[in-house]
Amino acid sequence: MYFLPLVLRELRVATRRRLAFRVRTAVAVATMCLSIWLLLVADGWGVATNLGHFVLELLAVLGMAGSTLAGLL
Amino acid sequence: MSQERREGTLGLLFLTDLQAHDVVFGKLAAKAIVPFFCGLSLLPALAICVVVGGVTGGEFWRVFFVTMNALFCALSATILTSIFCQRQRIAYGMALFGLLTLTVILPLGGNLLSIWTRIPVWGHLAGLLTPTGSYLLAFDKSYQMAPGWYWGSMIASHFLGWMFLVLACLVLPRQWKDKAVLPPRKITRERTLFARVNKHKRLRDELLAVNPVTWLGTRPNASATLIWSLPLAALVLWLSTDIDPLGNWGSQAGFTALAAVHALFKIWLAADATHAFSADRKTGALELLLGTRLSVRNFGGNFVEAEVFHTLRS
């Protein structure tokens, strides 16, 4: 296997993309908004265990969506 | 991979010491490195759920493994589809369709089949081959009922990812080369196509004398023909189901499907229309048009005219 130069080339090309910075910023802002919203609605959950499971499910859905669409983005 | 094919650089890669598997694994590693670190950064956030309570350590690790496995599977499928396509939009469309099949259509189809035939094993088998199946089984409630199905699904979907990669390694050396002369059985079909193209060319020649912008916008485009499958699908849906947003679940599902088809039609049409500008800019055709006597003010109107003409004609 001799693929590391190819990986290096691909990553260099990716860093030159204009959209890369914008996408990163948009994802960071979206995650912050989501976290703030979660903190705001946390009071309504009563039992902490429900909140823990809800956050896990939410992060799992986001992780799955991100992983599935990683090849397209 | 399709971009490499479009730009003709894939052949150059094969002039070096690289083999097909080097190229495939190189692409996979390059594409996976950023999402993999994103996945790693998700770990502390997931661990907070364990601290908050209600989530076990096993559940935490299972969710993480499922996410990483889905990443591997999806990237392998995307790399395989991109090898077969040269045009960007077709490559995106094919990859999206492949991923939708893998994550939504296959498990949903399996479940519907198991409901229809009343044999639950179809649903389990469909879930076994997809990352969605292992995701649904990763949570404690489902895992405790069937731990074997979870691990089976993880292994099967991981194996599927490896199969995609092996297939990509086998197909890649054949795909980047120029195609050979057409076999005899294809010649008749090609003749029919040429006749159609000639007819279209005559029509376009008339348009060129009237307006070059409209002429440019009426290039042969399969997407403009395919778009009419959506209104047809909407018609079939409307005739076959009772559409009512406030009715029973069947009517509501029909209404949602109709709304989705409607939205997809509009998005497709808009994407098709806007793609013309960017494609012409990339090929330099827009620059050539701007060098003519045409005023910029007329451009938008003529592009709309060309798009309407092209879509309606097909």
Side-chain angles (χ1 to χ4, degrees):
Chain A
M1 286 274 187
Y2 185 65
F3 61 85
L4 286 179
L6 198 67
V7 177
L8 212 65
R9 171 178 165 253
E10 288 291 316
L11 290 176
R12 283 214 180 102
V13 171
T15 50
R16 279 201 292 270
R17 272 190 202 148
R18 266 186 248 168
L19 261 176
F21 179 73
R22 286 179 200 166
V23 169
R24 272 180 223 162
T25 314
V27 170
V29 169
T31 316
M32 275 168 63
C33 291
L34 193 74
S35 312
I36 291 167
W37 173 74
L38 268 175
L39 288 172
L40 288 173
V41 300
D43 281 348
W45 285 92
V47 191
T49 52
N50 288 347
L51 178 67
H53 214 269
F54 171 72
V55 175
L56 180 87
E57 281 182 14
L58 191 73
L59 289 173
V61 167
L62 287 177
M64 278 295 284
S67 301
T68 312
L69 297 174
L72 293 174
L73 299 173
Chain B
M1 212 70 93
S2 70
Q3 191 183 5
E4 297 267 11
R5 279 186 68 189
R6 276 197 304 279
E7 291 170 0
T9 49
L10 197 61
L12 296 177
L13 284 176
F14 282 106
L15 284 177
T16 63
D17 293 338
L18 294 169
Q19 298 294 314
H21 59 266
D22 291 323
V23 177
V24 168
F25 283 99
K27 291 279 176 194
L28 178 76
K31 265 288 180 190
I33 201 158
V34 175
F36 176 71
F37 282 114
C38 285
L40 278 187
S41 69
L42 199 72
L43 266 179
L46 284 174
I48 288 173
C49 305
V50 182
V51 178
V52 169
V55 177
T56 61
E59 204 171 17
F60 160 77
W61 284 113
R62 280 195 301 275
V63 166
F64 177 68
F65 288 145
V66 160
T67 315
M68 291 296 107
N69 192 39
L71 176 67
F72 172 71
C73 214
L75 282 179
S76 311
T78 316
I79 285 173
L80 180 66
T81 50
S82 74
I83 288 175
F84 291 104
C85 313
Q86 195 160 0
R87 288 175 64 186
Q88 187 186 16
R89 283 196 300 168
I90 294 174
Y92 266 105
M94 283 282 285
L96 194 64
F97 177 72
L99 291 176
L100 272 177
T101 308
L102 199 66
T103 54
V104 181
I105 298 171
L106 198 62
L108 201 70
N111 279 320
L112 286 176
L113 193 68
S114 63
I115 292 169
W116 190 43
T117 57
R118 295 183 184 183
I119 303 168
V121 79
W122 291 117
H124 292 307
L125 279 177
L128 199 69
L129 281 172
T130 65
T132 314
S134 39
Y135 164 75
L136 293 172
L137 290 165
F139 297 102
D140 263 351
K141 223 180 271 178
S142 332
Y143 179 77
Q144 279 163 4
M145 282 194 284
W149 279 106
Y150 167 77
W151 292 111
S153 174
M154 282 287 282
I155 293 166
S157 52
H158 192 76
F159 183 68
L160 196 70
W162 279 106
M163 259 180 59
F164 288 148
L165 282 183
V166 170
L167 206 61
C169 292
L170 292 175
V171 170
L172 184 63
R174 291 167 188 83
Q175 279 295 316
W176 67 270
K177 290 173 189 166
D178 288 334
K179 293 277 181 287
V181 181
L182 289 171
R185 64 190 166 86
K186 278 193 176 174
I187 290 175
T188 322
R189 190 170 155 258
E190 289 297 315
R191 274 187 191 146
T192 322
L193 274 176
F194 277 134
R196 279 172 63 189
V197 167
N198 280 337
K199 192 182 166 192
H200 188 72
K201 193 175 172 294
R202 274 200 299 277
L203 193 70
R204 289 189 71 215
D205 285 345
E206 287 168 20
L207 271 176
L208 181 62
V210 180
N211 195 326
V213 181
T214 317
W215 169 80
L216 191 70
T218 53
R219 283 163 294 185
N221 183 4
S223 167
T225 315
L226 274 174
I227 200 168
W228 291 106
S229 62
L230 290 175
L232 197 70
L235 184 71
V236 171
L237 206 67
W238 181 61
L239 289 173
S240 58
T241 52
D242 179 29
I243 309 287
D244 184 8
L246 303 171
N248 59 12
W249 72 269
S251 311
Q252 283 182 7
F255 177 76
T256 312
L258 194 65
V261 169
H262 176 74
L264 192 64
F265 179 70
K266 287 204 284 195
I267 291 166
W268 193 339
L269 199 63
D272 223 24
T274 48
H275 178 70
F277 264 120
S278 66
D280 292 340
R281 202 176 148 193
K282 211 169 180 179
T283 56
L286 199 63
E287 203 178 338
L288 286 173
L289 276 177
L290 284 165
T292 62
R293 283 188 203 169
L294 286 166
S295 65
V296 178
R297 192 181 289 176
N298 292 334
F299 261 58
N302 288 331
F303 262 107
V304 170
E305 189 188 332
E307 189 62 31
V308 169
F309 173 85
H310 197 212
T311 310
L312 290 180
R313 195 187 156 274
S314 61

